[in-house]
Amino acid sequence: MSRVYNFSAGPSCLPEEVLAEAQAELLEYGNTGQSVMEMSHRSSEYEAIIGETERFVRALLGVTDDYRVLFLQGGASTQFAMVPLNLTVRGKAAYIDTGVWSSKAIAEASRYTQADIVASSKDETYRFIPAVPPLADGYDYLHITLNNTIMGTAWHRLPECGNTPLVTDASSCILSEPLDVSRFALIYAGAQKNLAPAGVTLVIIRDDMLARESLGIAPTMLRYKTHADSGSLYNTPPCYAIYIMGKVLKWVERRGGVEGMKRRNGEKAALFYAYLDRSDFYRGTAEKESRSLMNIPFIMREMNAEKADRLNKAFVKEAKAVGLVNLSGHRLVGGMRASLYNAMSIDGVKTLVAFMDGFAKRNG
Ligand SMILES: Cc1ncc(COP(=O)(O)O)c(C=O)c1O
């Protein structure tokens, strides 16, 4: 068996230890005589699994008792609708537009509420996190995308929003470093980057948000309260993905928790950015002060479009041939992108940098 280094933006690499444990338990979980895939979500065994996964989320992220931890379906994209459907009271929400995923969240919210864009870096190809002017009163919430998977930018200081509840899409950075949950009214994250295989969405919601008057039009399955009242077992949850999430969380804990992840991710990103910054062949596309630890888009420097396109394709093909996969940039941005999520090893990053250096020497 030979495993590749997978730099995909999601679904992405999972820790090998987790995959091996899941493999060992595939036919029989504990002494149950069955796989977790086959188990009733109402069984005591499964209740123990989902309960333990929630306890690990709480312990690792320091989630206090005034928040609920929910395991939902429909991906982060369903949250783009659930947030306005559940949190609208006055009919006006503030959004900061930092890229493709923010724009999608804004478009969806506009179907249910007045979604005001209070800051944006769209005119500057989303290369940075924009400055945020003082927020006016009267907004039901302020929404930000904490890490912009496609643009390779991240919030390093949260915006000031006074008493306005702060909501964030943390899909591509959850658990990559410590997060002060108490600053947020609601955090959501599709799992398929740092948490689990695709199929489950983690939601951390403050109790007072559950008590909000919603628009009264949210389908039962799209109400947070439905899932909060039933411990995420209103209907059949994504059982297997939640089980794997539990294993990933234990893996994070064994590596020093979110502080350990921050050290490891900081080291990987520093190595990669340092190489980009000293290269006269490649350059990163995000501005330095907004750079993401998780997703690093880069292009060939100063080159005509035709040559760059040819070299981008050669780069991705040659990288794949040596076991470095999923390095194409997002179709909207072009170039290349390396996603360095928690499960990517420092060796993977060193191998990629060595490959990039060789490619630059051959083609520069
Ligand atoms: C920041 C962010 N938000 C939302 C999404 C959409 O997630 P999903 O496919 O789970 O709906 C993605 C997917 O990559 C993402 O990176």
Side-chain angles (χ1 to χ4, degrees):
M1 184 186 64
S2 122
R3 283 182 48 86
V4 293
Y5 287 120
N6 179 5
F7 295 92
S8 167
S12 16
C13 51
L14 285 164
E16 267 182 36
E17 279 171 46
V18 167
L19 296 175
E21 276 176 36
Q23 183 182 42
E25 292 173 353
L26 190 69
L27 289 180
E28 183 177 19
Y29 176 77
N31 293 319
T32 63
Q34 56 188 310
S35 166
V36 174
M37 285 186 218
E38 304 166 299
M39 201 175 266
S40 164
H41 60 294
R42 307 274 174 217
S43 63
S44 56
E45 288 88 355
Y46 192 74
E47 280 183 3
I49 291 173
I50 194 170
E52 183 177 54
T53 306
E54 173 174 343
R55 280 195 298 284
F56 270 95
V57 170
R58 287 186 177 276
L60 286 170
L61 285 171
V63 182
T64 48
D65 287 347
D66 49 338
Y67 287 80
R68 304 296 181 91
V69 173
L70 309 178
F71 303 104
L72 307 186
Q73 303 191 52
S77 301
T78 298
Q79 295 307 306
F80 298 164
M82 278 181 81
V83 167
L85 278 169
N86 286 270
L87 302 194
T88 297
V89 183
R90 284 168 282 198
K92 208 167 74 151
Y95 278 78
I96 300 181
D97 183 13
T98 50
V100 171
W101 298 113
S102 310
S103 303
K104 289 198 170 179
I106 293 163
E108 189 64 19
S110 304
R111 303 182 56 178
Y112 309 107
T113 189
Q114 178 184 318
D116 288 353
I117 300 173
V118 295
S120 169
S121 50
K122 186 175 182 180
D123 291 345
E124 304 278 348
T125 60
Y126 295 120
R127 281 181 292 117
F128 53 86
I129 299 294
V132 183
L135 194 65
D137 288 335
Y139 284 116
D140 287 330
Y141 59 88
L142 168 67
H143 179 284
I144 62 170
T145 309
L146 206 50
N147 183 82
N148 296 278
T149 325
I150 296 173
M151 308 306 165
T153 61
W155 289 83
H156 297 303
R157 260 193 57 214
L158 295 176
E160 290 303 329
C161 57
N163 291 328
T164 306
L166 185 58
V167 173
T168 195
D169 175 354
S171 294
S172 49
C173 60
I174 189 95
L175 278 189
S176 63
E177 57 184 328
L179 184 64
D180 182 358
V181 172
S182 71
R183 291 285 308 273
F184 298 92
L186 193 157
I187 299 167
Y188 63 88
Q192 63 272 24
K193 298 151 197 312
N194 266 342
L195 292 174
V200 56
T201 308
L202 178 69
V203 170
I204 301 170
I205 181 168
R206 208 171 57 208
D207 280 339
D208 58 329
M209 295 294 112
L210 294 171
R212 278 198 168 198
E213 280 286 321
S214 72
L215 292 170
I217 57 166
T220 307
M221 277 294 288
L222 298 192
R223 298 184 68 211
Y224 291 119
K225 200 165 177 317
T226 301
H227 303 286
D229 287 349
S230 58
S232 302
L233 290 168
Y234 171 75
N235 73 327
T236 317
C239 301
Y240 199 75
I242 294 169
Y243 152 80
I244 299 287
M245 190 192 294
K247 292 195 175 300
V248 171
L249 297 173
K250 286 181 212 166
W251 176 88
V252 169
E253 196 204 34
R254 291 197 295 275
R255 270 155 194 75
V258 283
E259 288 292 352
M261 291 299 113
K262 183 183 178 180
R263 270 196 305 281
R264 179 181 155 102
N265 291 326
E267 198 185 334
K268 288 183 297 183
L271 190 94
F272 198 81
Y273 282 123
Y275 175 69
L276 282 184
D277 290 344
R278 65 174 185 269
S279 167
D280 50 18
F281 188 75
Y282 309 99
R283 73 173 174 84
T285 52
E287 295 212 347
K288 278 192 184 168
E289 66 280 9
S290 297
R291 282 173 165 178
S292 162
L293 284 183
M294 297 281 95
N295 312 98
I296 309 184
F298 58 97
I299 56 174
M300 315 279 179
R301 270 180 200 272
E302 321 301 340
M303 211 176 267
N304 71 51
E306 197 189 321
K307 186 173 177 199
D309 189 47
R310 184 169 52 75
L311 283 180
N312 290 348
K313 287 192 178 115
F315 181 100
V316 171
K317 190 168 164 208
E318 288 178 31
K320 188 173 178 190
V322 295
L324 303 165
V325 306
N326 290 319
L327 284 158
S328 297
H330 190 277
R331 62 192 186 288
L332 295 172
V333 180
M336 275 74 58
R337 172 177 49 171
S339 293
L340 312 182
Y341 295 122
N342 286 353
M344 175 53 63
S345 64
I346 186 101
D347 278 349
V349 181
K350 285 182 181 161
T351 309
L352 175 59
V353 167
F355 166 80
M356 287 171 66
D357 205 36
F359 186 88
K361 288 189 175 119
R362 289 194 299 282
N363 295 282

